[in-house]
Amino acid sequence: MRRTGGSRLRAAGVSLAGVTMLACAPALAVPAKTAAVKPVPRQDPSAPETVEVSGIRRAFTHASAQHLADSATRLTAERLTERGVVDLRGLEYVAPNLTVQSINGTASTNFYLRGLGFNDFTQNNMGPVLTYVDDVAYAYSTMASGMMFDLADVTVTPGPVGTEHGQSTTGGEVKLQTRDPTNMFHFGASQDMASYARSRSEAYVSGPIARGLSFRLAGQVRQGGGWQTDPLDGAHLGDANSWALRAKLKWTPDSRTTILLSGHVMRDESQVVGAIPIARLIGSAPIPTVGWTQTEWSAKDAFTKLIGRKAGLKPSEDNWFWGADLHVAHDFGPVTLTSVSAFETEREGEYTDQDATAAAQADTYRTIAANSFTQELRLSNTHPEDRLQWVIGAYYQRSRMNQSFYFDYTDYRPARGYMQVSRFGLDQEATSEFGHVSYRLPGNVTLFTGLLHEIDDRAITGLTSQVYGGRTLDFHSESTAAAQFAGQVGVSWQAARNVLLYYKMSKGFKPGGFTANNTQVQAQLAPFGPETVLTYELGLKSDPIPNVLRINAAAFYNDFHNQQILGTILIPDYGPLSQLTNVPKSESWGFEGTIDIHPFRHLFVTQNLGWQRGTFQDFPTVNRARTNAYYAQHGVWKAINDNFAGVDNGQPKLTLNGQLDWRQAVSPDYAVEFGPNWLYRGAQALTPGGTGYYRLPPYFLLGAHVTLRPASDHWQVTLYASNILNRQYYTSGGQATTTYLYIPGAPRFIGGRVSCNL
């Protein structure tokens, strides 16, 4: 039934009408028997909560997941709202050992989970960490831009996956689950306004249409928030300008069949975050001196005319994303068949000033036209209480992409001094078969194993590199294919009702690909090879004091072969360029954990901790720092080669994030919640062995919020602040021609949010 009266305040750990509730989480009963490794079917996250007559609720969410042998971080929509997580980048504020970096301040993102990931500006390769939205794997991470609204929950799973669903990966996955249609009529809206005229608006409506047929329509609009200015003319940069819609139609023709059709569209014309030049690598001309919230940019009329954009173009997006998916599930009694079909489309136009100066030394405009079709079939046993749990399935994915990169180097003299365009196409197809089985033995011991076989074929075609007014280079096509096995084997032991121990070994596989953004010689198109990793993981899930203390932790060791990272290639008489390559042998190890504490009625604390180290054991490549230094001294490009054996992989060693909430009744009808949140990230090397300005400095951020809500929970008002200390920090960086750049993080924001749900 729907929550009424003082249920929300009781859930918040405050007392109304003599009834005390322990937490704000939905009630989740702990099973009497140990759950098998295979997850239980997901409950409808949009369904109204029930209120227990006894007034007792559990302090922590996802109680049933405490019996699953994984190290996933599971986040409710409420937790994401409390922390102000509205995009993929914000997930690193609420999960351990996770880094999500915007590429040059744009909508494109790169994921690093437990230090595993790579920097792929072209976004034409499969990443080590995949993004899923409603069980649909997105071939290119940019396709998930603007999808984080009307969410039910988010799950971040590190390590190799793929034996139970979807596609094999080496680094893990980020799964977004949006809310489904409801059988009762609901609607709601929220308005968030903050510093720098930032506005975020969301709304939804959901309910029945006819017997067995229901719908949900949700949307969001984002405006403003740009906090950068150009010191040369005071021009403003960084305003958001986007909208998105999602529609779902759910049909249950009978008690055993569910058909869910979903479609979405997203339009993004937001400005991007400009870079700050840190050091000039070549030449003696000074770099601009700008403040933390300042950046320079330029777009010459000749360049905007060439790319078909209006004069005075600011660094910005011009993107459309749309797609549709169909989920069909039928319970045949002993088995359930699930089908997931999806088609996703990306149309991107993106201008960035990659020299961060008023000169045209590395102005870049890229266009992407891409689409992806996926089909998944799964057959599994229906009853989660059975000792034997199993799932088998098959997965198919086909994607097509065409990209164009325009560069304005007219002020980069004497090295270039021209405008240039590179174009290419990409064709990719993959199939896989997977299976996973677990069996619960006497003594609360569960054995589990999984196997996956994947075949991937991809080719880069029609690549040309044209200098306007000069030469045109045509390159022949390259292709790469891979067929490998991945799998998992492990054991879990339910040592006590609230204590689970597990150990597992997992092999992950990821196909190879191509580097193709600024190609000058055929050797740049040589494909990099597949990546494999063997991961050993030991984990603990426990509620040693139920409703008071929860401790989840995992330790891991990764043994990599041909790990894919962004290295360097030197083009004679041109300079160093980034090149995705393979590290023959590398390793990483570490641990992560989450502690939830509810020591007394009003106080709730969550602390995530991640620590990891990694080294290259064999990695011969060009040392970019020494190569740049040699050119600066001698005026000649000469590759200085090194083997980075024994060198740290450069990923942040320590990541911390958490929050504290105090929940207090202020009257019989109202409650207030308030508290701080925090984030710490260690230093990150941007090139192998990077030191000095080749390394992002560590940073610490502090935020806070206070929320007032009535007992009915039909509305709430929140005041919040992020980066309260107004710390200067940088989220990513890189090199463009003669300068090394950092992308700055946002300054202090103070805002308010009003929401209602009826």
Side-chain angles (χ1 to χ4, degrees), residues 587-632:
E587 63 181 350
S588 68
W589 60 94
F591 62 86
E592 64 228 0
T594 298
I595 301 176
D596 289 296
I597 307 174
H598 178 40
F600 51 88
R601 188 174 62 184
H602 301 292
L603 184 64
F604 299 79
V605 181
T606 295
Q607 177 64 63
N608 293 315
L609 181 149
W611 183 88
Q612 69 91 30
R613 292 289 305 272
T615 59
F616 304 119
Q617 295 167 291
D618 179 25
F619 183 22
T621 188
V622 174
N623 187 318
R624 178 171 287 204
R626 293 181 60 192
T627 298
N628 286 330
Y630 185 90
Y631 182 89

Side-chain angles (χ1 to χ4, degrees), residues 134-468:
D134 292 335
D135 293 327
V136 175
Y138 280 42
Y140 309 113
S141 65
T142 311
M143 288 179 169
S145 299
M147 298 298 289
M148 289 190 63
F149 65 98
D150 198 37
L151 290 177
D153 54 59
V154 173
T155 303
V156 179
T157 305
V161 293
T163 62
E164 294 180 271
H165 68 272
Q167 195 161 358
S168 172
T169 65
T170 51
E173 62 189 22
V174 175
K175 299 187 69 174
L176 314 180
Q177 190 68 49
T178 66
R179 293 189 180 273
D180 289 340
T182 54
N183 294 325
M184 297 177 62
F185 190 75
H186 297 278
F187 62 91
S190 68
Q191 177 62 52
D192 185 320
M193 301 189 69
S195 309
Y196 303 95
R198 188 179 71 189
S199 172
R200 297 169 176 163
S201 307
E202 295 188 19
Y204 75 90
V205 59
S206 177
I209 299 175
R211 183 178 179 85
L213 185 64
S214 57
F215 80 100
R216 190 177 189 95
L217 181 65
Q220 69 167 5
V221 177
R222 297 184 186 175
Q223 300 285 335
W227 46 270
Q228 290 185 302
T229 57
D230 189 332
L232 301 179
D233 57 13
H236 187 78
L237 183 67
D239 280 337
N241 182 18
S242 69
W243 59 266
L245 288 173
R246 181 186 297 116
K248 289 188 174 184
L249 194 63
K250 183 179 180 181
W251 182 36
T252 53
D254 55 58
S255 61
R256 293 178 176 268
T257 307
T258 301
I259 300 173
L260 182 63
L261 177 64
S262 176
H264 64 269
V265 60
M266 191 265 190
R267 175 66 165 144
D268 188 2
E269 298 177 281
S270 303
Q271 297 165 9
V272 306
V273 178
I276 292 178
I278 299 299
R280 185 175 294 281
L281 306 177
I282 303 163
S284 58
I287 60 173
T289 300
V290 299
W292 172 37
T293 60
Q294 295 179 324
T295 185
E296 292 185 9
W297 69 87
S298 65
K300 291 191 173 183
D301 290 347
F303 188 59
T304 56
K305 183 177 180 181
L306 173 68
I307 62 179
R309 301 295 298 273
K310 293 181 180 179
L313 177 67
K314 292 184 178 182
S316 58
E317 307 283 354
D318 183 15
N319 306 338
W320 283 96
F321 305 99
W322 67 90
D325 52 82
L326 177 66
H327 293 63
V328 180
H330 182 75
D331 179 0
F332 288 95
V335 298
T336 297
L337 178 65
T338 303
S339 170
V340 182
S341 310
F343 183 81
E344 298 295 332
T345 300
E346 171 185 353
R347 297 291 184 268
E348 183 173 13
E350 182 179 83
Y351 167 59
T352 51
D353 192 314
Q354 295 189 32
D355 55 79
T357 71
Q361 296 180 337
D363 296 358
T364 305
Y365 184 75
R366 70 168 177 171
T367 65
I368 301 177
N371 61 68
S372 173
F373 171 76
T374 59
Q375 174 63 58
E376 180 172 356
L377 289 174
R378 294 194 301 267
L379 191 66
S380 59
N381 64 312
T382 300
H383 306 293
E385 68 277 6
D386 291 347
R387 287 184 176 273
L388 177 66
Q389 297 287 307
W390 58 269
V391 59
I392 58 172
Y395 180 82
Y396 172 79
Q397 186 225 351
R398 178 195 60 79
S399 65
R400 300 290 184 268
M401 172 182 283
N402 287 286
Q403 287 201 35
S404 296
F405 279 85
Y406 297 84
F407 301 94
D408 188 355
Y409 296 128
T410 51
D411 292 332
Y412 182 26
R413 299 176 182 274
R416 299 174 198 175
Y418 51 73
M419 291 188 290
Q420 173 188 329
V421 61
S422 295
R423 298 184 176 92
F424 68 89
L426 183 75
D427 298 333
Q428 181 267 339
E429 189 171 30
T431 58
S432 62
E433 308 82 36
F434 58 85
H436 193 277
V437 61
S438 67
Y439 187 77
R440 191 172 68 251
L441 300 170
N444 294 325
V445 173
T446 299
L447 304 178
F448 57 92
T449 186
L451 185 65
L452 172 140
H453 179 258
E454 182 173 319
I455 300 174
D456 182 274
D457 292 281
R458 58 186 65 211
I460 191 166
T461 60
L463 194 145
T464 63
S465 185
Q466 176 187 357
V467 171
Y468 289 96

